Amino acid sequence: MSEHDEIRTPVSLQGISSDDPHLQPLSKNPQLVERVIAANFLLGLLLVAAFGACYWVNAKPWTLGATLGGGLFFLGVGLVAWGKYLMPRGPFVEERHELATSTEDRNALAAAIVERGGGVVKRRKLLGGLLGGGVGIFTIVAMFPLLRSLGPLPKRTLDTTDWKKGTYLVDITGRRVSVGDLAIGSIVTVYPEGLQNSDRGQAVDQTVLIRISDEDFTTQKGRETWGPAGYLAYSKLCTHLGCPVGLYEQELQLLVCPCHQSMFNVTNGALPQFGPAPRPLPQLPLYVDASGYIRSQSGYKVPVGPGFWERS
Amino acid sequence: MTDVIDTKRAKKQALGPYGKVGHAINELDERLGVAKGGRTFMDKIFPDHWSFMLGEIALYSFVVLVVTGVFLTLYYIPSTDLVTYHGSYLPLDGQRMTEAYASSVNLSFAVRGGLLMRQMHHWACDIFVGSIVVHMARIFFTGAFRKPRELNWTIGLTLLILAIANGFLGYSLPDDLVSGTGIRIAYSIILSIPLAGSYLAFWVFGGNYPGTAVIPRFFILHVLIIPLIIIGLVGAHLFLLVRQKHTQFPGKGRTEKNVVGTPMFPVFIAKTTGFLFVTTGVIALLGAFAQINPIWQFGPYTASRISYAVQPDWYMGFLDGALRIWPSWSFHSWGYTIPLEVFVPSVLLPGLIFNIAYVWPAIERKFSKDNQLHNLLFRPSDRPKHTAAGVASLVFVAMLFIASSTDVLANFFRLPLNEVLWAMRILVIISPLIAYPITWKICKEIQAVQGGGKRKTANIVSRTTEGEYVAVPAPAYADDVHQELEPTPVPRYIVESDEHETTTGVRVAER
Amino acid sequence: MTSTFLKKVGVFGFAALVGVGPLLAFASSSGASSNPHTAYQTTRKNAGTPNSSKVVKNPSTGVVISYGNKYITYNAPSTALVTLGQALFLQNCASCHGTEANGVPANGTSGAYPNLVGLGPATIDFWIDSGRMPAANPRAVQAIRHQARLTKAQAVAIAAWVNSLDPSYPDIPTPHLKNANVSDGAALFALNCAACHTIEGDGDALANDTYAPSLRDIPAFQVVEAVRTGPANMPRFTGNLSDQQVDDIVKYVTTEIQHPENPGGFGLGGLGPVAEGFVGLLLGVGILMLIAYWVGDRS
């Protein structure tokens, strides 16, 4: 055994007497502590057994947790107390060995890498270069199935919704909304007809339809025909992070997003008034057809939802 | 008859002085050579300070996570296929929902012990991340991250990030209304990354939101990929701890070159196993009495539903808070948009915080010009600037967490919502600036007090004739058990004493 | 002007900019704040006409006495209560809403208080029954729910008188919960109500100083009244929710919201992850830290 190994095994080779104070328990009254610990163990044992019984008779979930938790807790407390109060109190000491090895060993390792390894590559630079290139290209192309196959390219998917010219507005049950349905101060979530239960209809096309009074209505430039009979339709996707903006305060005329409290003013084209949303909610142009149903004049004029790089 | 006794005694003597245990060790050592290493391992000394056990809380709550998690994986179905629920919870009866949600509700109501396992799993996760933070704070404030332990600091910080990420993935798996909203926000955050955002979002989610891939992918990340990395890193973390040995506070008999405490076997094993039971017990009691994440009340997630008061789980709160208070500045030019109102608070800011944390040991080395090995810790009050910087950073992050609950605060205290938000914007900037000098001053004051915070006995205060107060610690009383003995090496064997009193409970082996 | 003075000014100015600048930038980004007291609801006539199967009219006057179906029945307040109603109104309400119930008090300006004419009996009944009216603090942004000051009979009487000024809808509802489907109600609640009242029904703070109240204590008929009339900032749901759907929502609110099963233990106030975080950190990590403090040394 070299001197070095000695340092790495700092195990004492001496003995001590059994009445050495280090081996005595910490507690001044070990018998009493032993009885307390025994009581803890007994209680823990009973509770853990009770867990089995509760499970067997399909008792309420809280009984399962109470028995299991209480049982383990008392067993644990007892075991900890045993270790702390009844076992040898110590303290014991152990020498730290020097973490670093000797200078010779460090130099030997460095030499192995630099001289042996480096020497080999230095003599065969072409091989080294080609191998490096091969491995490098491999790491790049290995990413292809891992990343690219995960999903399609976005292309222009984020820019469009399914609202087109003449799409009927329907609610979640699929019923078409007609012009007499909503009172002033009313709100309903609408989707393009047929898509109300589809992922895309819910996630991308979702729109809130509200009706405001003539006094509150402010005609926006270029949107004169978009809001017939006081009906306004805005994309329900918040322009901050895409949460549905379902919170409508009819007196304040605000659409509030519940996620981060962006507030959009309903009367002037859903301009954001407070909070982190940067852009107004896109408005869906509406018209009322001959049968009294509300339909969209066209799709949204701008992409809905939160911002992304290609959003022009 | 005597033949039998002879054989028994002969067999006993053949086993050697340590009986069956010795025989087993002989067999193992001949094949594996474990004797020396085993003895070294058993003699490993662990210092006893209570703050060194905080990492154990994290470790044991992780054990609970794995055990309860295995149970959950046996019943949870990671699929977004739609099914109609016909179970015991009537408000959902007849509703269409994903299999992921249906199986989670099934776990809660139809599987015996399922609700307890779900709740224990969720509470264990909250406690896991909380204890990592507390443990990390202890490491920071006592200087345990210094050379040679910078690598362990890095591993630990990575574990924190992985724990937070895995928690997010895990609570998103049931696909309920509240966690589904979180997934939508995650999609938008990925989207906000300049140049690559839309590609990354489409690749992670398999297309436009919501797609059908996200739940199965989150599942495999949550139960396999990230736990494997966590287990590997925890193993490395513990290996480094064993190899470099634990740090300790300066004190009686403690130097840079030794470790004073209790040996691994049997004392530390007893205490730490007991602590494992206690941790599991506390988590089970929470799982029994405190309802957490009642997904049946939230209902299944559909993209056009939303609830108010939907904060994420607490450890994600700093992101949610930052997103709420950050103003709506967005960059839009030349046909391109950089959503700074999303990108900065949810990507750049946490990136900055974690990167500063990662390089902190290097920053500290540069500022203190200290490149030496340290195995002794310092007390927080001994390094006022360091402690003040740490407290200021914690206060800053804590303010972000509080900012995540602006609406709940406004409702609870009946304050206007807009004003609460403004107050949080101001507090986030001001409170670290206030916390730093206050902490610095408190540290200085503690240093000035003689032996502050360390005494075990009363101080005898006397007044000099000039009017100055002098505090002198009173002498310890004779049989004070809290007085430590002088440390001694772990004994190889224990010699039987002449008196055979067995009050100690120490078993004596014959040599 | 010495150079040190200029330096001081420069340093101070820079510090002020660094300190105040972000706050100014925050301020400029929030935009103009809206006036919280915009016009109260003015148009009443299209508050929603009854679209139900059973309509009972007074044979002599032809006025609708009640309408409804097996889900909800709406009853008009008896015209016999009109005189009593007017007396009660003058006593309790006229000081703000005026003797003509048109929102013009004796020496006040028009529009200071809501015009109650034509709002329908259900509106009047809701505000009085929920204790919000007579208003404890007329200047408050939002009236707070109270123990009702007037009895149900008195509320109906006042509703009868106000309705007599300009008869309108909706009438005072009675939901029939045994015909309701709680599962449909849960789905409708999640889509329409949870955005303000939270999915657990505890309510939360809304813009400026308004809030959505908790639904834990509200009787069934008041849920219908609130949904149909849209009090204060709450939107009203008339033609976009049928009586069957409203009945389902009421059943869900009065069973699951008000009496949740909570099989997992204490509901933690329904505050969701905020409360869970508190409990997890303070109770969970806290207790374990205390136990560690007991186990380990304290030197």
Side-chain angles (χ1 to χ4, degrees):
Chain A
M1 199 161 60
S2 74
E3 191 201 71
H4 206 238
D5 282 330
E6 287 273 35
I7 298 168
R8 288 198 177 276
T9 55
V11 170
S12 163
L13 295 172
Q14 71 206 46
I16 57 178
S17 161
S18 68
D19 50 7
D20 184 306
H22 289 88
L23 292 177
Q24 307 316 311
L26 184 66
S27 157
K28 275 192 283 190
N29 192 347
Q31 258 101 357
L32 176 62
V33 172
E34 187 176 339
R35 279 191 227 120
V36 170
I37 294 177
N40 270 303
F41 278 161
L42 185 62
L43 189 53
L45 192 155
L46 290 173
L47 282 173
V48 170
F51 168 76
C54 287
Y55 184 92
W56 194 266
V57 302
N58 200 9
K60 292 228 177 299
W62 74 266
T63 60
L64 295 175
T67 48
L68 181 67
L72 283 175
F73 184 83
F74 287 114
L75 287 178
V77 164
L79 188 52
V80 166
W82 189 355
K84 183 177 163 82
Y85 293 118
L86 292 185
M87 289 195 185
R89 62 185 284 192
F92 295 98
V93 67
E94 172 185 41
E95 298 304 312
R96 288 183 198 268
H97 52 76
E98 187 78 26
L99 274 173
T101 46
S102 64
T103 325
E104 297 98 57
D105 283 324
R106 291 193 207 182
N107 287 337
L109 179 61
I113 297 174
V114 171
E115 289 165 16
R116 260 192 276 158
V120 166
V121 176
K122 243 191 262 183
R123 272 184 274 149
R124 317 270 182 209
K125 280 209 181 87
L126 178 66
L127 292 183
L130 281 176
L131 178 65
V135 171
I137 292 179
F138 169 72
T139 37
I140 294 174
V141 301
M143 289 295 121
F144 287 8
L146 199 59
L147 288 180
R148 177 64 187 87
S149 303
L150 286 177
L153 288 174
K155 301 207 175 105
R156 311 303 300 176
T157 319
L158 290 168
D159 292 343
T160 55
T161 65
D162 298 300
W163 295 101
K164 309 257 182 305
K165 179 163 175 210
T167 315
Y168 286 92
L169 274 65
V170 298
D171 67 9
I172 189 68
T173 62
R175 198 181 72 106
R176 290 176 180 172
V177 181
S178 69
V179 71
D181 276 353
L182 264 58
I184 308 274
S186 211
I187 180 173
V188 63
T189 306
V190 292
Y191 315 87
E193 183 166 41
L195 293 176
Q196 65 272 11
N197 284 315
S198 71
D199 266 353
R200 200 165 152 78
Q202 292 263 340
V204 175
D205 305 319
Q206 51 175 317
T207 301
V208 283
L209 182 69
I210 55 186
R211 191 173 190 188
I212 63 178
S213 68
D214 294 330
E215 289 115 15
D216 291 328
F217 196 91
T218 323
T219 314
Q220 305 290 302
K221 191 157 98 75
R223 302 186 187 190
E224 291 84 356
T225 59
W226 288 19
Y231 281 93
L232 292 170
Y234 293 111
S235 165
K236 201 174 178 185
L237 278 174
C238 183
T239 51
H240 181 223
L241 285 167
C243 289
V245 186
L247 203 168
Y248 176 47
E249 297 206 65
Q250 59 150 321
E251 279 181 4
L252 298 176
Q253 296 294 9
L254 285 178
L255 272 169
V256 181
C257 183
C259 284
H260 308 106
Q261 291 84 51
S262 303
M263 300 176 191
F264 303 93
N265 186 337
V266 158
T267 61
N268 65 355
L271 282 180
Q273 266 188 192
F274 185 84
R279 288 174 304 278
L281 298 173
Q283 185 173 356
L284 186 68
L286 303 173
Y287 72 97
V288 181
D289 75 358
S291 326
Y293 291 121
I294 303 182
R295 298 161 79 166
S296 57
Q297 292 182 22
S298 68
Y300 284 99
K301 304 291 192 194
V302 290
V304 299
F308 51 97
W309 174 252
E310 298 91 345
R311 189 184 199 280
S312 52
Chain B
M1 276 295 233
T2 35
D3 281 335
V4 177
I5 296 173
D6 282 333
T7 319
K8 259 195 181 161
R9 189 177 291 144
K11 270 195 194 153
K12 197 166 170 231
Q13 274 178 334
L15 283 175
Y18 294 107
K20 292 222 174 88
V21 174
H23 176 71
I25 289 176
N26 290 340
E27 298 293 309
L28 277 174
D29 194 51
E30 276 172 19
R31 290 160 178 77
L32 298 171
V34 294
K36 188 191 278 181
R39 176 63 203 241
T40 314
F41 181 72
M42 290 208 169
D43 284 353
K44 280 241 166 283
I45 298 291
F46 285 85
D48 276 324
H49 197 261
W50 68 270
S51 66
F52 300 165
M53 299 182 67
L54 301 175
E56 288 175 42
I57 304 179
L59 179 65
Y60 296 140
S61 44
F62 182 66
V63 169
V64 173
L65 279 173
V66 171
V67 172
T68 52
V70 168
F71 179 94
L72 295 176
T73 52
L74 298 173
Y75 295 95
Y76 170 77
I77 301 176
S79 161
T80 50
D81 290 343
L82 288 174
V83 295
T84 309
Y85 176 80
H86 291 298
S88 62
Y89 187 64
L90 292 176
L92 292 173
D93 190 50
Q95 281 197 46
R96 296 281 283 167
M97 55 183 63
T98 54
E99 271 206 275
Y101 184 72
S103 62
S104 307
V105 175
N106 195 46
L107 254 177
S108 308
F109 286 102
V111 174
R112 205 182 286 198
L115 182 62
L116 177 66
M117 289 290 130
R118 259 200 66 229
Q119 304 214 140
M120 277 179 72
H121 194 74
H122 206 126
W123 280 121
C125 176
D126 280 354
I127 291 176
F128 181 48
V129 184
S131 55
I132 292 180
V133 171
V134 165
H135 169 67
M136 207 172 91
R138 195 284 288 175
I139 300 288
F140 179 85
F141 286 117
T142 55
F145 59 88
R146 294 176 296 170
K147 188 169 172 177
R149 294 175 177 83
E150 303 98 324
L151 184 58
N152 238 6
W153 170 262
T154 308
I155 292 177
L157 200 51
T158 313
L159 279 170
L160 174 64
I161 297 175
L162 288 174
I164 292 176
N166 219 29
F168 166 73
L169 295 171
Y171 73 68
S172 304
L173 288 179
D175 198 29
D176 56 279
L177 179 57
V178 179
S179 66
T181 310
I183 300 182
R184 168 74 237 198
I185 294 177
Y187 187 88
S188 308
I189 291 177
I190 301 175
L191 213 56
S192 76
I193 297 172
L195 292 167
S198 51
Y199 296 92
L200 284 173
F202 269 62
W203 290 345
V204 171
F205 279 74
N208 205 347
Y209 184 79
T212 53
V214 62
I215 295 291
R217 286 182 187 176
F218 276 18
F219 179 70
I220 209 64
L221 275 170
H222 176 78
V223 307
L224 180 70
I225 299 178
I226 296 189
L228 279 183
I229 303 177
I230 290 182
I231 289 175
L233 286 179
V234 167
H237 200 71
L238 292 175
F239 170 74
L240 281 172
L241 170 66
V242 167
R243 176 128 169 104
Q244 295 173 328
K245 299 199 181 24
H246 205 284
T247 50
Q248 60 191 354
F249 284 107
K252 188 190 224 171
R254 291 156 169 84
T255 68
E256 284 276 358
K257 296 250 192 291
N258 66 12
V259 192
V260 174
T262 55
M264 169 78 84
F265 185 83
V267 187
F268 182 75
I269 291 261
K271 292 207 276 189
T272 209
T273 311
F275 201 57
L276 164 65
F277 289 166
V278 165
T279 306
T280 314
V282 166
I283 293 174
L285 285 171
L286 276 173
F289 293 113
Q291 185 166 274
I292 186 169
N293 202 29
I295 51 166
W296 55 89
Q297 286 180 7
F298 301 153
Y301 175 72
T302 71
S304 57
R305 290 186 192 181
I306 184 76
S307 169
Y308 207 173
V310 278
Q311 278 76 10
D313 270 20
W314 80 264
Y315 40 85
M316 302 281 289
F318 70 103
L319 287 172
D320 190 52
L323 281 168
R324 285 181 193 219
I325 62 178
W326 195 265
S328 56
W329 303 324
S330 188
F331 175 82
H332 176 83
S333 266
W334 307 305
Y336 292 106
T337 307
I338 301 183
L340 292 171
E341 75 281 358
V342 175
F343 186 60
V344 175
S346 59
V347 180
L348 287 187
L349 181 65
L352 186 68
I353 295 175
F354 279 109
N355 276 311
I356 291 179
Y358 268 118
V359 302
W360 186 264
I363 295 176
E364 178 103 358
R365 275 204 304 269
K366 196 173 209 84
F367 269 99
S368 61
K369 300 190 192 4
D370 180 5
N371 269 319
Q372 289 179 324
L373 236 72
H374 289 284
N375 289 315
L376 283 177
L377 302 167
F378 53 73
R379 299 202 177 267
S381 50
D382 292 338
R383 298 274 197 282
K385 281 199 212 155
H386 170 95
T387 302
V391 169
S393 321
L394 280 179
V395 163
F396 173 72
V397 177
M399 282 299 140
L400 288 180
F401 278 104
I402 296 175
S404 144
S405 53
T406 43
D407 55 318
V408 174
L409 287 173
N411 192 41
F412 193 77
F413 294 109
R414 284 273 178 264
L415 297 167
L417 177 65
N418 302 36
E419 289 176 23
V420 172
L421 195 83
W422 265 107
M424 288 318 307
R425 283 174 169 170
I426 294 171
L427 276 174
V428 160
I429 299 177
I430 288 187
S431 30
L433 297 175
I434 297 178
Y436 187 96
I438 291 179
T439 313
W440 186 87
K441 190 78 181 116
I442 293 176
C443 288
K444 285 286 192 205
E445 297 272 328
I446 293 177
Q447 280 180 334
V449 174
Q450 207 169 10
K454 293 179 211 154
R455 54 186 168 80
K456 285 262 167 260
T457 53
N459 274 352
I460 300 176
V461 179
S462 53
R463 203 170 182 188
T464 64
T465 47
E466 287 88 38
E468 189 193 335
Y469 283 103
V470 173
V472 171
Y477 45 92
D479 54 350
D480 183 359
V481 292
H482 293 294
Q483 283 299 317
E484 257 199 350
L485 304 168
E486 198 65 42
T488 186
V490 181
R492 178 176 179 236
Y493 51 83
I494 298 167
V495 177
E496 185 188 315
S497 67
D498 290 332
E499 312 136 48
H500 281 272
E501 282 177 42
T502 46
T503 48
T504 61
V506 173
R507 281 195 64 238
V508 173
E510 293 182 15
R511 259 200 303 145
Chain C
M1 292 257 193
T2 60
S3 61
T4 44
F5 178 73
L6 279 174
K7 254 194 235 170
K8 278 191 198 152
V9 167
V11 167
F12 179 75
F14 181 73
L17 203 64
V18 166
V20 176
L23 296 180
L24 282 177
F26 276 151
S28 65
S29 72
S30 70
S33 55
S34 70
N35 177 7
H37 291 287
T38 52
Y40 292 103
Q41 62 227 33
T42 51
T43 322
R44 297 149 203 61
K45 280 300 180 179
N46 44 1
T49 50
N51 54 352
S52 45
S53 45
K54 277 187 334 214
V55 181
V56 175
K57 292 191 182 161
N58 183 318
S60 47
T61 59
V63 166
V64 170
I65 300 179
S66 81
Y67 59 93
N69 41 47
K70 68 178 180 180
Y71 302 109
I72 306 181
T73 320
Y74 300 84
N75 293 297
S78 162
T79 43
L81 296 168
V82 166
T83 340
L84 170 64
Q86 184 179 25
L88 286 167
F89 187 90
L90 292 174
Q91 201 175 21
N92 293 288
C93 322
S95 54
C96 292
H97 290 284
T99 50
E100 310 292 322
N102 55 3
V104 186
N107 30 340
T109 49
S110 168
Y113 296 101
N115 180 352
L116 303 177
V117 177
L119 289 183
T123 311
I124 313 294
D125 184 55
F126 173 79
W127 283 88
I128 300 177
D129 263 336
S130 61
R132 293 182 166 92
M133 290 290 139
N137 177 7
R139 297 246 160 264
V141 171
Q142 178 164 340
I144 298 181
R145 188 188 178 80
H146 274 137
Q147 184 78 11
R149 309 277 183 71
L150 303 172
T151 66
K152 176 78 179 166
Q154 292 171 321
V156 175
I158 296 178
W161 177 72
V162 175
N163 197 39
S164 68
L165 301 173
D166 187 3
S168 187
Y169 299 109
D171 288 335
I172 299 174
T174 310
H176 306 297
L177 295 178
K178 62 179 175 348
N179 300 320
N181 180 330
V182 73
S183 167
D184 291 342
L188 288 163
F189 186 89
L191 184 60
N192 293 296
C193 322
C196 296
H197 289 285
T198 79
I199 191 72
E200 310 228 7
D202 281 308
D204 206 357
L206 304 176
N208 299 326
D209 214 351
T210 56
Y211 66 96
S214 160
L215 303 176
R216 301 277 187 190
D217 279 327
I218 178 169
F221 75 93
Q222 273 183 32
V223 178
V224 184
E225 285 177 342
V227 168
R228 285 291 187 216
T229 64
N233 271 303
M234 175 168 169
R236 58 173 62 93
F237 300 85
T238 52
N240 45 345
L241 283 179
S242 69
D243 283 332
Q244 180 180 15
Q245 290 175 314
V246 177
D247 200 28
D248 292 339
I249 292 177
V250 173
K251 174 114 188 238
Y252 178 73
V253 170
T254 50
T255 52
E256 296 311 315
I257 298 270
Q258 296 185 346
H259 305 286
E261 283 179 38
N262 287 344
F266 291 115
L268 300 184
L271 284 177
V274 176
E276 291 163 9
F278 266 109
V279 170
L281 291 177
L282 289 177
L283 269 188
V285 179
I287 287 182
L288 289 169
M289 281 177 70
L290 283 174
I291 293 176
Y293 189 70
W294 163 60
V295 174
D297 282 351
R298 271 152 251 153
S299 61

